[in-house]
Amino acid sequence: MNIALFIKDTSGVTLRDFIADIVAYLGREHEVRVCTSVNEADIARLCQWAHVAWVEWLAEHAEAVCRRRRPCRVLARVHSYEAYSGHPEAINWNNLDVLVAVADHVLALLEARVPRLRDSVRTVVIPNGLHMDRFPARQPRPATKRLAWVGTLRHTKNFPLALQCLHALRQRDPEWTLHVAGDYPAWSDVEAMENLVYNQHMAATMGLEGAVNFYGNVADMPAWYADKDALLSTSIRESFGYAIAEATATGLKPVIHAFPGARNIWPAEWLFASVNECVQLLLDKTHNPAALREFVRKRYGLARQLAAVDVLLRELAAEGPAVSTPAAPGQTAPTPPTPPTPPAPPAPPTQDAPQPGGRIGSPDPVFSGVAGYWDSRYASGGNSGAGSYGRLAAFKARILNDFVASHAIGSVIEFGCGDGNQLTLAHYPSYTGLDISANAVALCRNRHGHDLTKRFLRYEPDDFPQGNPWVRAELALSLDVIFHIVEDHLFEAYMRHLFDSATRYVIVYSSNTSDNSGVAHVRHRKFTRWVRTNRKDFTLESFVPNEHPFDPAMPDETSFSDFYIFKRVE
């Protein structure tokens, strides 16, 4: 996929930092070109090349890109300040395919300013994600009573409130000091001078000389956080607050001014509305650094953000070129970009090559529907396929076993257990395997019947015992199954039963495309579109790409399947 990234860059590298991890991730698999120009010729040339144009910040570039219908699909992402600016009023929303907001309250503010926004453009909320490895947990150490404040010293960050809180805190305990990482805004001399003069004046007036320490812009933030006890955030506006997430991930206690929307992002017990409430939070000695880090990991881990981005971009690209508008007089109408080339199906097997049934020289059964196909395949001595053997099976087992252990999963149900070979590598406390093929169930019972933690049942879609506790588990699995379900009615039933059976998580390992496979018993589907439309009670939490992506020259050792992990939400 060709992705053109348009980014407003007037304030330097800081703006790029908000999307650096996304660009690095997309660059692993796609061609990404970055443009900072708002020149029409530059924009037109890149949109001609791209399958998707990503406009970062709903500002100048969004206005320029959306002035006309581009030949590619167009996505714009809004953070926070843009929703307060005049930019939304200048955007032609009919020329935008998807608007991504990083938080619900930002989208709500934008909707209040742009009448009938949802009627003009599809809107999606994808929260920001933090690269947890860059902010490791601090080593345990005695309290230092050092309070951290991070950000640009500008009006929206509300540093004067931090001085007020520090003054009140030192009335209770004079050992507390404030430590500031950040500088005054280089892009506004007036705002920088206003804040500098006021902050120095108030610090002196309140007798805080020596209690406030300024460090400027800090390169190594994890090291800077190491000797601090808490992070104070005093902003009047945030879409997320990366400094909050970063400091909390290292173990600092977060103490956050209750800006509009804060309650939708951070726990209420972390928020304060008054100086007295702030002091109470800081003096409260209840502090669990491990629990704080786990909150950030589960809710704002980078994998969750990247998963949602990946799915959205693939869906956009699959929709094909946009409908072009007539060219202006004297201009040539642009030629739509060529859609991404789908992976080619495996070459027809030779007489000596392993067949889909898993036996050398054994012809694949004639396709007669999903149940009949697999019963015949197993009856003729075939197996569940290359995905359940060798390095592909090892890859799946590692991902699944790590997930079950790290999330304390107590029970697993699998829809499509196959011949049971994949299960030999699994470490599940309790397992129920279902399969539409009676022969597959028999194979699994013969192989694993001695293990009392496992049981196997025939999956009968038309007579599925919904609501029965015997077919419910904390984690429901679908591994290399969805693209084998060629009948529409069976796909609908299967997806419904799969998600209904999960009390906490659903993990799907499958392709997620509409490409034609060229094989009778393989039908690729955009299953994430079904989930988004039909299962509002689940959210895509993370995406794990295959370590062995499909290579037609190695069909038995590579796969077009990836892991999609969904979490049930209240």
Side-chain angles (χ1 to χ4, degrees), residues 256 258 262-272 277 281 295:
I256 308 164
R263 290 184 180 275
N264 295 327
I265 305 173
W266 307 109
E269 57 268 26
W270 298 3
L271 308 180
F272 71 91
E277 290 178 2
L281 287 175
F295 173 88

Side-chain angles (χ1 to χ4, degrees), residues 8 45 56 72 75 91 164 168 220 297 318 326 355 379 388 396 402 438 441 452 469 484 507 532 534 538 557 566:
K8 175 189 174 186
R45 183 170 56 254
E56 185 72 356
C72 59
L75 173 154
I91 291 173
Q164 296 287 341
D220 188 351
R297 185 190 69 80
Q355 302 294 300
S388 298
K396 285 193 285 186
D402 287 349
V441 173
L452 297 181
H484 284 306
I507 296 183
R532 189 180 70 243
N534 297 280
F538 281 85
E557 297 181 38
F566 300 89

Side-chain angles (χ1 to χ4, degrees), residues 60 77 109 171 237 243 277 290 339 367 394 425 472 537 549 564:
E60 289 92 338
R77 189 163 76 138
L109 175 60
Q171 298 299 306
R237 165 180 61 79
E277 290 178 2
F367 183 76
L425 305 175
R472 286 179 67 79
D537 52 339
Y564 297 80

Side-chain angles (χ1 to χ4, degrees), residues 249-568:
T250 68
L252 269 68
K253 173 188 282 190
V255 180
I256 308 164
H257 180 45
F259 60 85
R263 290 184 180 275
N264 295 327
I265 305 173
W266 307 109
E269 57 268 26
W270 298 3
L271 308 180
F272 71 91
S274 68
V275 170
N276 286 338
E277 290 178 2
C278 176
V279 172
Q280 291 301 322
L281 287 175
L282 288 168
L283 293 178
D284 182 357
K285 296 183 179 180
T286 304
H287 186 199
N288 186 338
L292 293 173
R293 181 174 180 81
E294 184 65 7
F295 173 88
V296 177
R297 185 190 69 80
K298 283 187 174 181
R299 189 156 179 176
Y300 299 117
L302 181 62
R304 183 173 182 173
Q305 181 191 30
L306 295 181
V309 166
D310 183 89
V311 170
L312 180 59
L313 288 178
R314 290 178 187 274
E315 288 180 352
L316 273 179
E319 292 173 2
V323 177
S324 299
T325 54
Q331 291 184 338
T332 303
T335 303
T338 304
T341 304
T350 62
Q351 182 65 26
D352 296 326
Q355 302 294 300
R359 295 176 58 190
I360 294 178
S362 171
D364 212 25
V366 176
F367 183 76
S368 59
V370 172
Y373 170 82
W374 287 100
D375 262 335
S376 298
R377 177 161 165 161
Y378 291 125
S380 65
N383 59 33
S384 292
S388 298
Y389 291 81
R391 66 177 188 174
L392 288 172
F395 163 66
K396 285 193 285 186
R398 177 169 57 79
I399 297 299
L400 294 170
N401 289 336
D402 287 349
F403 184 89
V404 168
S406 63
H407 290 76
I409 299 295
S411 57
V412 175
I413 184 169
E414 183 175 3
F415 284 72
C417 54
D419 61 13
N421 191 71
Q422 181 71 56
L423 188 59
T424 61
L425 305 175
H427 305 302
Y428 307 147
S430 173
Y431 174 87
T432 299
L434 308 177
D435 204 284
I436 201 168
S437 166
N439 285 327
V441 173
L443 287 170
C444 286
R445 287 173 176 169
N446 288 336
R447 174 175 280 181
H448 299 285
H450 64 283
D451 188 344
L452 297 181
T453 67
K454 298 177 176 63
R455 59 197 179 92
F456 302 92
L457 306 169
R458 174 84 181 278
Y459 173 54
E460 299 178 273
D462 295 332
D463 193 27
F464 187 73
Q466 255 175 306
N468 189 319
W470 286 98
V471 289
R472 286 179 67 79
E474 293 180 34
L475 169 64
L477 299 178
S478 173
L479 310 178
D480 280 325
V481 173
I482 289 177
F483 54 82
H484 284 306
I485 305 176
V486 300
E487 300 99 329
D488 287 336
H489 74 280
L490 183 55
F491 169 75
E492 289 288 336
Y494 177 88
M495 295 297 289
R496 187 171 65 256
H497 297 154
L498 174 69
F499 279 80
D500 284 347
S501 295
T503 62
R504 292 177 61 194
Y505 294 95
V506 172
I507 296 183
V508 176
Y509 178 76
S510 177
S511 60
N512 187 39
T513 178
S514 299
D515 296 338
N516 185 354
S517 72
V519 181
H521 63 89
V522 173
R523 180 180 174 183
H524 296 298
R525 296 180 185 268
K526 293 286 297 183
F527 74 88
T528 52
R529 185 176 299 164
W530 184 96
V531 177
R532 189 180 70 243
T533 301
N534 297 280
R535 299 310 301 237
K536 305 296 185 184
D537 52 339
F538 281 85
T539 183
L540 183 64
E541 182 172 71
S542 60
F543 167 82
V544 182
N546 205 309
E547 286 186 351
H548 313 291
F550 183 71
D551 181 349
M554 305 171 62
D556 287 343
E557 297 181 38
T558 59
S559 174
F560 40 60
S561 292
D562 300 303
F563 278 106
Y564 297 80
I565 302 174
F566 300 89
K567 181 179 181 180
R568 184 179 285 277

